[in-house]
């Protein structure tokens, strides 16, 4: 069975500082990995995805993530955050026969001025 | 752009009422999904549908049913709403062979 762990439920950071949101997964098959962002009172929006190829994936709004197979991780990074990045971020994995998405519990990124 | 719409953003219902949550997508996607989102639990899959009139249970189907009579519309039904079904409900759709799902804005349901 697949699972996703986001160890940090909340990450406070000052504006213009770098940030890393951690995501670890477990799976017995090849996986596809995703980061979604949810702004207050909105649905989920795809931030970036890893399907194959280069392990460094660039997404929208200046975010990027690196797939590390040996560490089973897919951490999300941004070199300089803005107040508008305040949102909840979800890591997700899919793969196997049904290709269902399995979500982590989310990390709230709180950017302070 | 893919657009997924949900019939209500906020809904308040009484215990025991039958509740319908509607989801419509405009991109001819075969696959559609219903999730509930609760603090600290992330998103959990309730039901999904591979195509019209096809449905499969997700991880937490108890107390819910679904209907997919047309390709663009996927309905979630709470036969007899209970307070533990107070939650945010999110609908999503996807084209088979592509892994990303596209989400609607969500319906925040309160059962009193």
């Amino acid at each position: 069975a697949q699972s996703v762990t986001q160890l940090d439920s909340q990450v406070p950071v000052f504006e213009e500082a770098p940030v890393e949101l951690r995501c670890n997964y477990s799976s017995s098959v090849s996986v596809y990995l995703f980061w979604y962002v949810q702004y207050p009172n909105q649905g989920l929006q795809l931030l970036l995805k890893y399907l194959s190829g280069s392990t460094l994936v660039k997404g929208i709004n200046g975010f990027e993530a690196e797939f590390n197979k040996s560490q089973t991780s897919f951490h999300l990074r941004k070199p300089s955050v803005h107040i508008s990045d305040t949102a909840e971020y979800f890591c997700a994995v899919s793969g196997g026969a049904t290709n269902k998405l399995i979500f982590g519990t989310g990390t709230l990124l709180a950017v302070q001025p | 752009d893919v657009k997924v719409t949900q019939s209500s953003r906020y809904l308040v219902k009484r215990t025991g009422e039958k509740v319908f949550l509607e989801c419509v997508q405009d991109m001819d996607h075969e696959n559609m999904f219903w999730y509930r989102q609760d603090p600290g639990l992330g998103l959990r899959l309730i039901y999904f549908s591979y195509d019209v009139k096809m449905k499969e249970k997700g991880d937490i189907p108890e107390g819910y049913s679904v209907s997919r009579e047309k390709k663009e519309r996927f309905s979630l039904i709470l036969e007899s709403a209970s307070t533990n079904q107070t939650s945010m409900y999110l609908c999503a759709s996807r084209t088979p062979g592509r892994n990303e799902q596209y989400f609607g804005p969500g319906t925040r349901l309160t059962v009193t």
Side-chain angles (χ1 to χ4, degrees), chain B residues 61-107:
Chain B
E62 296 77 20
Y64 304 94
S65 62
V66 291
S67 171
R68 187 137 181 235
E69 297 295 319
K70 293 185 177 182
K71 194 173 188 179
E72 67 271 18
R73 188 180 299 271
F74 191 33
S75 303
L76 180 68
I77 303 157
L78 287 66
E79 294 289 342
S80 177
S82 63
T83 55
N84 63 14
Q85 292 178 310
T86 291
S87 187
M88 169 73 95
Y89 290 87
L90 291 162
C91 174
S93 71
R94 178 184 75 183
T95 295
R98 295 188 64 85
N99 295 278
E100 62 264 36
Q101 295 181 16
Y102 296 89
F103 285 82
T107 295

Side-chain angles (χ1 to χ4, degrees), chain A residues 28-101:
Chain A
S28 57
V29 299
S30 296
V31 296
Y32 306 112
L33 293 155
F34 306 83
W35 276 99
Y36 282 86
V37 59
Q38 185 179 35
Y39 298 104
N41 298 315
Q42 294 186 27
L44 273 69
Q45 178 183 357
L46 182 66
L47 203 55
L48 50 78
K49 61 187 176 187
Y50 171 79
L51 303 181
S52 65
S54 173
T55 57
L56 183 63
V57 180
K58 293 190 184 296
I60 61 172
N61 301 338
F63 284 92
E64 64 181 31
E66 186 157 18
F67 170 57
N68 188 320
K69 190 174 181 179
S70 62
Q71 296 187 6
T72 61
S73 68
F74 191 54
H75 300 333
L76 181 70
R77 301 185 182 100
K78 187 170 183 178
S80 175
V81 295
H82 301 278
I83 294 286
S84 59
D85 291 323
T86 294
E88 189 148 26
Y89 292 79
F90 291 93
C91 183
V93 62
S94 74
T98 63
N99 229 11
K100 289 189 284 184
L101 270 181

